Amino acid sequence: MNPQGEVQRPLDLMADEVFARSCAGNSSVGILISEEVEEVVAVKAAEAGDFVVSYDPLDGSSNLDVDLSVGTIFAISRLAEGGDAERLPQGQDLLCAGYAIYGPSTMLVLTTGGRVDGFCLDPETDTFVLTHPDMRIARETGEFAINASRRRHWDGVVQDYVAQCIDGPIGPRGKAFNMRWTASMVAEVHRILIRGGVFLYPIDDENRTRGGKLRLLYEAYPMALIVEAAGGRATNGKTDILRIVPDSLHQRTSVVLGSGAEVDRIAAAYEQAERSGDSVHLRQETCG
Ligand code: AFP
């Protein structure tokens, strides 16, 4: 079991070991935060300026047995001057974020905040080649991604949003929507970067006590930095993901990210529900 009580597969642990070993070989890395490890790992006696690397070594590992895409997600920040090694990195501190996706091709998608670039692994030369410069997320989309088997747990905002998408041309949206769900956040975000879309993993009645499903530091933060640098938006429904202040290492959060027009619509629906005091559960705060 990992710190979140989820079953760890052998490849989760191997990926964690490989990632940690390669970071430890870099003298600028001081601290590692991994999905698979309960505590912060100090690679050396941490000094101000050292890099803090938060990562999910193998995201989407339920896809391994069925040979679908999985990936590695990471975010990098620096330990502040006079910094406390125990202080958790915040969204605003992130210098860089990226993911690798192990699909039909292996890609590395990277941002240092200004823009997002995609690199394909050339197995002949063992180098990453810039193949997708300046990836941008279309503001408008006709595609959404959510685990629809959780519908009975959703709050009213998500119920309404998905129902309207499914109603397509005969509903209030007046257009057809397509749906995808791969159970691998890396694959979902990659698809959104390539052809637009919106991804939702909301807090619902089943995961509310845990604060949602996705982890803030090494899933939501890095993906939010990437999505925003590509012109999209990432929120928990109420607060932009990068503005959430973490209070525990493996904190979870609600996530809605992707094409700006759809994320804006969902955030506005939450705001409206809160204003009108609907019975929608709007507690978006995350807990450990
Ligand atoms: P792991 O990192 O444990 O493989 O979890 C993957 C994930 O957090 C994320 O990639 C998916 O969006 C989500 O789980 C899928 O979860 P469901 O099985 O609940 O659809």
Side-chain angles (χ1 to χ4, degrees):
M1 297 291 212
N2 70 10
Q4 290 90 50
E6 296 155 343
V7 175
Q8 291 173 308
R9 289 155 194 268
L11 217 54
D12 282 320
L13 298 173
M14 287 167 73
D16 184 59
E17 217 180 292
V18 169
F19 195 99
R21 205 183 319 125
S22 77
C23 284
N26 181 329
S27 59
S28 310
V29 175
I31 287 170
L32 297 178
I33 296 172
S34 167
E35 178 183 8
E36 306 302 337
V37 183
E38 182 132 24
E39 305 289 342
V40 165
V41 175
V43 176
K44 58 178 184 131
E47 293 165 21
D50 281 349
F51 290 122
V52 179
V53 184
S54 316
Y55 64 99
D56 176 353
L58 199 58
D59 176 69
S61 46
S62 70
N63 281 333
L64 289 169
D65 296 340
V66 291
D67 223 4
L68 293 177
S69 295
V70 294
T72 298
I73 312 174
F74 61 89
I76 304 175
S77 54
R78 262 189 211 282
L79 204 59
E81 199 63 46
D84 167 7
E86 295 298 311
R87 178 183 173 274
L88 297 172
Q90 300 192 7
Q92 313 283 325
D93 302 335
L94 300 189
L95 301 170
C96 172
Y99 62 80
I101 180 163
Y102 316 114
S105 60
T106 294
M107 280 194 72
L108 175 67
V109 173
L110 208 59
T111 185
T112 50
R115 59 183 235 168
V116 179
D117 292 308
F119 304 81
C120 257
L121 179 66
D122 176 357
E124 302 271 298
T125 57
D126 210 18
T127 50
F128 281 97
V129 179
L130 178 63
T131 47
H132 295 60
D134 199 11
M135 299 173 88
R136 305 289 303 164
I137 298 177
R139 183 163 166 76
E140 305 289 336
T141 184
E143 196 158 83
F144 67 100
I146 190 165
N147 182 343
S149 69
R150 304 183 64 82
R151 189 171 73 106
R152 67 190 181 283
H153 305 302
W154 296 341
D155 62 33
V157 167
V158 177
Q159 296 268 1
D160 290 351
Y161 174 75
V162 172
Q164 291 181 5
C165 291
I166 290 172
D167 282 346
I170 57 160
R173 302 299 306 270
K175 70 172 188 176
F177 279 80
N178 192 11
M179 199 204 88
R180 287 285 183 274
W181 188 250
T182 62
S184 163
M185 192 190 196
V186 168
E188 313 283 3
V189 170
H190 194 63
R191 187 186 60 252
I192 289 170
L193 277 166
I194 300 284
R195 66 178 194 212
V198 61
F199 165 92
L200 301 92
Y201 211 119
I203 283 191
D204 60 32
D205 284 342
E206 191 273 334
N207 65 30
R208 192 172 308 281
T209 53
R210 300 189 296 281
K213 157 100 180 184
L214 298 175
R215 276 52 60 107
L216 179 63
L217 264 56
Y218 39 80
E219 291 180 322
Y221 268 171
M223 291 312 198
L225 194 74
I226 293 168
V227 164
E228 297 214 342
R233 184 175 171 197
T235 174
N236 66 6
K238 191 175 173 187
T239 306
D240 285 344
I241 296 283
L242 293 172
R243 303 187 79 84
I244 300 173
V245 177
D247 49 36
S248 68
L249 197 62
H250 298 288
Q251 179 168 327
R252 295 173 189 262
T253 182
S254 183
V255 175
V256 178
L257 61 75
S259 292
E262 293 304 305
V263 181
D264 287 353
R265 172 180 286 269
I266 296 163
Y270 271 111
E271 208 183 309
Q272 162 75 27
E274 192 171 43
R275 262 205 313 272
S276 63
D278 275 5
S279 56
V280 166
H281 306 288
L282 280 163
R283 199 182 73 84
Q284 293 291 331
E285 283 73 35
T286 47
C287 51

